[in-house]
Amino acid sequence: MNFLKKSAAVILLAFVLSCVFGGFNIPNDTDDSLATIYSTDGRILRMSENDAQQYLKDGWEKDFKNVMTTVWKTDGSSKSILKSQVGMYINSGWSADKSDVTVVMTDKDGNEKEIFKDNAELYKEKGWRIKTESVPKEDKGKNIKAVALTFDDGPNKQTTNRLLDILEENNVKATFFVLGDRAEKDAETLKRIYNDKMEIGSHTYSHKQLTKMSAENIKNEVDKTNNAIYKAIGQNPTLIRPPYGSYNENVKSLSGVPIVLWSVDTLDWKSKNADAIYKEVTESVKDGSVLLFHDIYSTSVDAVERIIPELKNRGYEMVTVSELAEIKGKEMKSGGVYTNF
Ligand code: NI
């Protein structure tokens, strides 16, 4: 795999550098002045503690465990993968949420067991039944092809308003994960998002990495954002998307609303190129996708203007995240993590 080659190259580079500068030690782990840091796309760097601080603010991690996550299949197989690979795995039938591939079954004595879906028939033959028989999503959303366009990091007076014009003209709904401090500074644009019947989610107050914060500080980020949004529109956000998609048990229990990540990353912040964004979406989109954009870049708005008619041509409806969950018959729970529907 290409990714493996890339990360191997970086590790090799780190090794060579440590040989040259560190006197042939592999990597010089006894040197406390150097920090090893990891990115969710598999890069590994060694640098001074001081230099590392900036990287950590940009979403790099000191603990390799934090750039990894687990995906599952209904047959019970699981894999530990880089967080940046989640979308790719979801597109080939894996799930980032274990509860998607399991069912809770109960026997006549009331004993409960969580088992992988492929084993459900076997248990039924032994007299177990599915405890919460929810409507299979294949049945509910069968005839409706739909996706959710989602926009992070705003609002921004210029670009967000132009985007709203485009969404309105095309009669398309979207979801905005807004930052509390920007919502405070630009309550007018947030009001328009709300009045245009878009869904509003929290992207926290100041875009810090929540997994590096104490429970108290996480709660503070969540509450401050809710207050800023409530002040502008008289409603609390219905969803949350933690910055960098980073979450842990504290984030889950303190969010108060469903956690929504994404299955198609347009990488618009990186390319700032409408053609590249268009290509990313049109190649990766599928029924139930959650697409990640940032409404603070004019290039992203340019791309969306072209993407909407193309998705319509392919028969997709563009709806808010909560509407997409509803169409696909999936109930979202507070603290649950959702990447697609
Ligand atoms: Ni963000």
Side-chain angles (χ1 to χ4, degrees):
M1 267 192 326
N2 193 19
F3 141 72
L4 279 176
K5 271 190 218 149
K6 238 190 264 165
S7 63
V10 179
I11 295 165
L12 187 67
L13 184 66
F15 171 64
V16 170
L17 287 176
S18 73
C19 287
V20 172
F21 297 111
F24 299 100
N25 285 324
I26 329 176
N28 195 354
D29 279 327
T30 53
D31 187 349
D32 289 341
S33 65
L34 284 189
T36 307
I37 55 168
Y38 308 90
S39 71
T40 54
D41 59 7
R43 284 170 289 161
I44 302 170
L45 291 175
R46 296 263 290 162
M47 62 181 67
S48 74
E49 283 285 354
N50 234 359
D51 291 344
Q53 288 313 313
Q54 192 52 48
Y55 278 81
L56 296 175
K57 274 186 208 146
D58 289 342
W60 287 64
E61 294 277 358
K62 267 194 142 167
D63 189 345
F64 186 62
K65 273 191 303 210
N66 290 337
V67 299
M68 302 295 287
T69 188
T70 307
V71 287
W72 287 270
K73 267 188 168 171
T74 51
D75 65 0
S77 43
S78 68
K79 250 187 193 180
S80 188
I81 60 163
L82 287 161
K83 282 184 175 168
S84 64
Q85 297 175 299
V86 166
M88 198 176 86
Y89 272 84
I90 283 170
N91 285 336
S92 39
W94 294 76
S95 177
D97 187 348
K98 196 180 175 189
S99 67
D100 274 354
V101 296
T102 61
V103 282
V104 176
M105 298 194 82
T106 152
D107 69 3
K108 51 184 183 309
D109 300 326
N111 296 315
E112 283 182 13
K113 239 184 199 179
E114 187 185 16
I115 60 150
F116 287 98
K117 283 181 178 170
D118 287 6
N119 298 329
E121 280 309 311
L122 220 74
Y123 273 78
K124 275 183 186 168
E125 284 166 18
K126 292 185 200 159
W128 291 66
R129 62 173 185 81
I130 293 172
K131 191 189 173 197
T132 46
E133 188 91 82
S134 62
V135 186
K137 51 182 172 181
E138 303 79 38
D139 290 351
K140 255 199 170 169
K142 210 187 217 163
N143 302 318
I144 303 172
K145 272 172 83 180
V147 295
L149 309 181
T150 67
F151 298 93
D152 288 10
D153 293 2
N156 172 288
K157 199 166 268 322
Q158 274 197 324
T159 48
T160 306
N161 276 296
R162 187 159 80 82
L163 173 64
L164 287 166
D165 289 343
I166 293 167
L167 296 175
E168 218 171 337
E169 272 164 35
N170 288 281
N171 196 21
V172 157
K173 295 286 179 271
T175 304
F176 290 79
F177 291 94
V178 300
L179 287 170
D181 65 351
R182 293 212 170 139
E184 252 169 24
K185 282 180 209 129
D186 192 2
E188 278 313 304
T189 302
L190 187 62
K191 270 182 204 156
R192 180 175 170 201
I193 296 174
Y194 180 70
N195 290 333
D196 282 0
K197 308 251 178 326
M198 306 295 164
E199 183 161 27
I200 294 172
S202 164
H203 196 40
T204 73
Y205 192 80
S206 49
H207 211 278
K208 289 192 190 108
Q209 191 152 6
L210 298 181
T211 50
K212 296 192 191 312
M213 300 172 78
S214 66
E216 195 187 334
N217 287 338
I218 294 172
K219 194 172 180 310
N220 192 33
E221 278 283 319
V222 171
D223 289 349
K224 260 166 89 181
T225 313
N226 291 355
N227 291 340
I229 293 173
Y230 192 89
K231 209 173 153 198
I233 63 167
Q235 298 284 335
N236 276 320
T238 47
L239 310 165
I240 189 168
R241 175 174 285 159
Y244 317 106
S246 287
Y247 63 90
N248 56 18
E249 287 309 313
N250 276 342
V251 175
K252 281 178 162 184
S253 61
L254 294 168
S255 59
V257 288
I259 297 170
V260 174
L261 304 181
W262 56 89
S263 58
V264 177
D265 189 348
T266 67
L267 297 174
D268 58 342
W269 59 274
K270 206 173 184 181
S271 71
K272 297 208 184 78
N273 177 311
D275 287 336
I277 300 164
Y278 178 87
K279 189 164 175 275
E280 199 67 51
V281 171
T282 50
E283 282 176 3
S284 311
V285 69
K286 53 185 245 179
D287 192 16
S289 289
V290 175
L291 286 72
L292 168 63
F293 300 89
H294 296 81
D295 53 320
I296 53 171
Y297 304 114
S298 59
T299 40
S300 302
V301 181
D302 293 340
V304 169
E305 193 166 23
R306 290 166 48 195
I307 286 165
I308 290 175
E310 172 58 20
L311 293 185
K312 281 190 172 178
N313 274 341
R314 296 193 194 177
Y316 287 111
E317 277 188 30
M318 281 152 272
V319 296
T320 66
V321 169
S322 289
E323 286 166 344
L324 184 60
E326 169 97 42
I327 287 170
K328 298 298 175 191
K330 178 134 187 181
E331 200 190 323
M332 287 197 288
K333 287 174 284 211
S334 163
V337 181
Y338 305 90
T339 49
N340 66 333
F341 295 93

